Amino acid sequence: MTEQQIDRLVEQIMQRMQPPVLVLVTAAAGYRDEIRQRLLGCGERLHLALDGEMDDAQRWQELGQSLPATDWQNARPAVSYKALLVPFLDYPLAADLVNGRLQSPAARRLHDALLAGVPVLALRYHCCPHSELNQLRGTAADSAYAAHVEATLSQLANCGVTLCTMNELLEKLASGESAPAASATTRRYLTVTDIVNNPSLAGTPNAVMTDAAVDFLKAQKKITLPR
């Protein structure tokens, strides 16, 4: 094998070692092509959960592995996800989550993910009355109801949902900032996946690693520092 082929193979193996990202796609209108193109080049392994009828469903399926509706609507997929992305969080879905109304499959899966400590990143374009998209639609951002919407959205952070722009979302995924903070009373063991995603973690003070992570680091040292 050539050096270029080896590098490509190593890159593919490293990507497969990383946990996938679950993308919950709803039918809300606005910026769909632009958001899809940005996610297409994000470099993450994506699992797609398509909620409802949508004209561009086939295009979204091209981004990664599409989950059958029966696999995700009835229960949260039994996969350790790096994060759950909600690119089209409209206000009704946000309000359902804040108020504990879990009648839709999307609301129930968000509820399950938050209970399990999975980072939830949502784009603010569709739900925030101050976003450019809603301004173009004629939303009066200084109305009393817009203030009510903002107050509801502010509670999402308390629930564990991070509202962000597309650039912020991709930066959080790339840097690993979307990972939930470990409890101060619980010892957090670093796994092989943790080291692959962020090698600097191995050098942090009081870092505690699994046996597999220790063996992985030893193997890496043998490769980089041959005798």
Side-chain angles (χ1 to χ4, degrees):
M1 296 180 67
T2 65
E3 183 175 350
Q4 185 177 10
Q5 290 174 324
I6 294 175
D7 290 342
R8 188 181 301 113
L9 179 60
V10 171
E11 182 180 352
Q12 292 174 351
I13 293 175
M14 297 293 279
Q15 186 179 34
R16 290 176 183 175
M17 292 177 63
Q18 297 181 14
V21 173
L22 179 61
V23 185
L24 178 59
V25 183
T26 61
Y31 296 165
R32 295 185 71 86
D33 289 339
E34 294 82 358
I35 291 172
R36 187 179 65 253
Q37 287 299 321
R38 294 296 300 279
L39 289 177
L40 182 63
C42 72
E44 301 286 344
R45 185 158 57 99
L46 303 180
H47 286 184
L48 286 302
L50 306 184
D51 184 44
E53 297 292 330
M54 55 193 75
D55 296 334
D56 58 351
Q58 184 175 355
R59 295 181 180 178
W60 282 97
Q61 292 171 357
E62 297 171 357
L63 268 65
Q65 178 182 341
S66 183
L67 303 180
T70 54
D71 286 358
W72 73 266
Q73 290 187 353
N74 297 326
R76 188 171 68 90
V79 176
S80 178
Y81 285 109
K82 178 178 180 179
L84 190 158
L85 307 186
V86 192
F88 307 106
L89 180 69
D90 56 14
Y91 179 70
L93 179 55
D96 283 349
L97 187 62
V98 168
N99 294 309
R101 293 193 295 266
L102 308 178
Q103 298 179 0
S104 70
R108 290 195 293 271
R109 295 299 76 79
L110 284 170
H111 166 81
D112 292 344
L114 292 168
L115 280 179
V118 177
V120 176
L121 304 177
L123 296 181
R124 62 172 58 252
Y125 306 124
H126 297 78
C127 58
C128 178
H130 295 284
S131 71
E132 182 182 44
L133 176 62
N134 282 315
Q135 293 297 303
L136 290 172
R137 290 171 170 171
T139 299
D142 58 349
S143 68
Y145 187 70
H148 168 74
V149 171
E150 283 284 1
T152 302
L153 296 179
S154 67
Q155 298 179 52
L156 286 175
N158 295 331
C159 296
V161 178
T162 301
L163 282 179
C164 51
T165 66
M166 191 74 226
N167 287 344
E168 291 169 344
L169 181 147
L170 294 178
E171 289 172 2
K172 290 178 182 296
L173 281 180
S175 65
E177 290 182 6
S178 59
S183 171
T185 60
T186 304
R187 173 167 285 186
R188 171 71 160 83
Y189 286 86
L190 298 177
T191 65
V192 173
T193 299
D194 294 326
I195 302 301
V196 170
N197 289 340
N198 189 357
S200 64
L201 291 176
T204 56
N206 302 321
V208 181
M209 292 174 282
T210 63
D211 292 340
V214 173
D215 292 340
F216 175 79
L217 286 175
K218 289 180 179 178
Q220 291 299 303
K221 290 180 180 179
K222 290 179 180 179
I223 293 175
T224 57
L225 298 174
R227 294 182 179 178

